[in-house]
Amino acid sequence: MMDISFNDDYAKEFVSNSEICSLQENVDHLHADLEKKTGQGSEYLGWLHLPSRTPSSLFDSILSTQNEIIRKCDAFVCIGIGGSYLGARAAISFLSSVASKEDTPEIYFAGHTMCSDYHAELLRALEGREVCINLISKSGTTLESAIAFRLLRNFMEKKYGKEGASRRIIVTTESKKSMINDLAKEEGYLSFHLPEDVGGRFSVLTSAGLLPIAIAGIDIRDFMDGALLVEKELTKSSDLSLNTAYLYAAYRHLLFQKGKTIELMAAFHSSFEYVLEWWKQLVGESEGKGGKGIFPSSAHYTTDLHSLGQRVQEGTRNLFETFLLVEKSSKVIEIERSNFDRDGLGYLEGKSLDFINEKAYKGSATAHLEGGVPNLAITLKERSAHNLGQLFYFFERAVAMTGYLSGVNPFDQPGVEFYKRNMFRLLNKPSQ
Ligand code: PA5
């Protein structure tokens, strides 16, 4: 059984059961399109069965690389942007404090920004450290990653010499089309190959995500087992009373049609910070096409209840919320007993922060509903690799189905080329 539960109690006023049921036939067809690869973007459906089809040889080579990297370095830099960055960052920030392996290198990120100060500070932080780097770029042509790679490769070659550096550089890229692959062969860098049929934002379960996640000490087999469990569950039936990812997609589709064009994903656990960023990319790049698409936004509650909360409660009624919750934290903290009640917290003595946080969630869910904001909730049992693998796969299925329901191809991203064209023209990039 999945460790993810989906709750629609606070959205039922806005979406009737018969509206959900009216989508069933279409959902069945679209599910078949996904499984039989007969829908839009079918050349990018490799992610659908990554959990069940990833060969154990990939785990073996990632785990042997993990051992070598842990032995060699105390700082590991992942260079990538978008789908070649966010999955790993999300998993590492969600899980590293509960990781199973200790003495792992500190993980740094580069290439996700062109901020000069960020890279200068990173290079300074790496001085005096034992460093390994991993360029992750499917195309091998992404400007931000290429710039960061050049900076870091030079840093490595100055520090270790060309040959020494080549033993500390790993490249994760597509084998056939990427020019980085040729460079890796020439320089003798260790390489991992990304499947052609998996797009960046769906690649967290490929070596793009798995290698850095393993190096952070997270159990990648457990992580993938979680995803596998959900793959099986969500593949076997498209029935909206059984398939909660598709039910979530159905709500999203119907709420969007009713003018709820913004989805605010609000987490009550701070470790979700980059999971929210990963989710926003998944939604934005997959669904935002043809003048359609939910605008994905995120919030950290209760922090943002003291800022955005006002807008949510009483502003333009064009949003719905999805609460992202964890049933229990890894560490329990209780409000201690005290003889003095000067802070007025006597009524909370002996209560855990989880208990109080849960009441904050319930309080917000009912208040926002009263204010005209339908809300859904997705709850994980615990903060673990197994649960996170489940969640990633759950969202991928839900977003693919929402995209199909609205008639767009969820697996391409033609829109992101526009800014690049202008930027390259302004930079006088020679045409190829
Ligand atoms: O989801 C996507 O396809 C994008 O976000 C890419 O992952 C991102 O642009 C980076 O591309 P690449 O891996 O080719 O460097």
Side-chain angles (χ1 to χ4, degrees), residues 81-84 136-142 145 194 199-202 281 285 413 420:
I81 193 166
S84 289
I136 309 165
S137 176
K138 187 176 176 194
S139 62
T141 58
T142 303
S145 326
L194 295 170
R201 59 193 173 277
F202 288 85
Q281 186 204 355
E285 243 181 348
Q413 55 283 330
K420 289 185 192 168

Side-chain angles (χ1 to χ4, degrees), residues 22-290:
S22 70
L23 292 181
Q24 185 65 67
E25 208 180 310
N26 199 13
V27 167
D28 293 340
H29 286 303
L30 297 172
H31 178 69
D33 277 342
L34 281 172
E35 290 303 324
K36 293 185 188 147
K37 299 193 174 174
T38 47
Q40 295 191 67
S42 57
E43 67 279 30
Y44 289 112
L45 287 175
W47 60 273
L48 261 181
H49 297 294
L50 278 173
S52 56
R53 294 182 191 161
T54 297
S56 77
S57 56
L58 180 65
F59 288 95
D60 295 343
S61 60
I62 288 178
L63 293 174
S64 88
T65 307
Q66 176 206 43
N67 283 330
E68 203 187 320
I69 296 291
I70 291 177
R71 201 173 39 76
K72 258 191 201 158
C73 73
D74 56 21
F76 185 77
V77 188
C78 302
I79 304 166
I81 193 166
S84 289
Y85 151 72
L86 280 166
R89 185 151 201 180
I92 293 167
S93 80
F94 186 68
L95 293 168
S96 56
S97 66
V98 291
S100 51
K101 216 172 168 81
E102 284 168 9
D103 298 328
T104 54
E106 196 168 338
I107 310 285
Y108 293 89
F109 294 92
H112 57 293
T113 167
M114 289 198 278
C115 172
S116 180
D117 288 349
Y118 178 91
H119 286 94
E121 280 158 28
L122 171 67
L123 291 170
R124 205 171 49 232
L126 295 176
E127 274 166 24
R129 310 285 298 271
E130 290 303 330
V131 185
C132 289
I133 67 176
N134 179 199
L135 169 65
I136 309 165
S137 176
K138 187 176 176 194
S139 62
T141 58
T142 303
L143 183 66
E144 291 88 335
S145 326
I147 290 174
F149 186 55
R150 183 182 279 214
L151 286 173
L152 283 148
R153 200 165 44 120
N154 286 344
F155 168 87
M156 298 291 282
E157 288 181 359
K158 276 191 201 132
K159 191 174 166 71
Y160 296 107
K162 207 167 160 48
E163 217 174 288
S166 72
R167 288 193 292 271
R168 290 171 171 268
I169 297 176
I170 304 172
V171 164
T172 308
T173 191
E174 195 177 335
S175 62
K176 289 191 193 138
K177 295 185 195 143
S178 166
M179 64 181 182
I180 289 292
N181 192 43
D182 299 334
L183 174 75
K185 275 193 206 146
E186 278 160 32
E187 301 291 329
Y189 302 150
L190 176 64
S191 308
F192 285 87
H193 290 144
L194 295 170
E196 231 176 302
D197 59 355
V198 180
R201 59 193 173 277
F202 288 85
S203 70
V204 62
L205 301 172
T206 68
S207 49
L210 295 176
L211 179 65
I213 293 171
I215 286 167
I218 295 157
D219 184 340
I220 53 169
R221 287 189 197 272
D222 197 31
F223 176 63
M224 193 64 119
D225 278 351
L228 176 61
L229 188 147
V230 178
E231 178 200 321
K232 285 186 183 153
E233 189 75 23
L234 300 180
T235 305
K236 87 182 163 215
S237 170
S238 54
D239 188 325
L240 290 167
S241 64
L242 301 170
N243 188 317
T244 46
Y246 289 171
L247 179 61
Y248 171 48
Y251 268 107
R252 299 177 76 240
H253 179 68
L254 292 165
L255 287 167
F256 181 76
Q257 288 188 328
K258 289 170 192 269
K260 306 293 182 192
T261 55
I262 300 171
E263 179 173 8
L264 183 63
M265 179 73 70
F268 275 82
H269 206 286
S270 55
S271 59
F272 277 121
E273 181 179 358
Y274 280 95
V275 175
L276 295 177
E277 297 306 312
W278 173 88
W279 170 83
K280 282 193 285 195
Q281 186 204 355
L282 186 71
V283 171
E285 243 181 348
S286 303
E287 299 174 9
K289 285 156 207 177

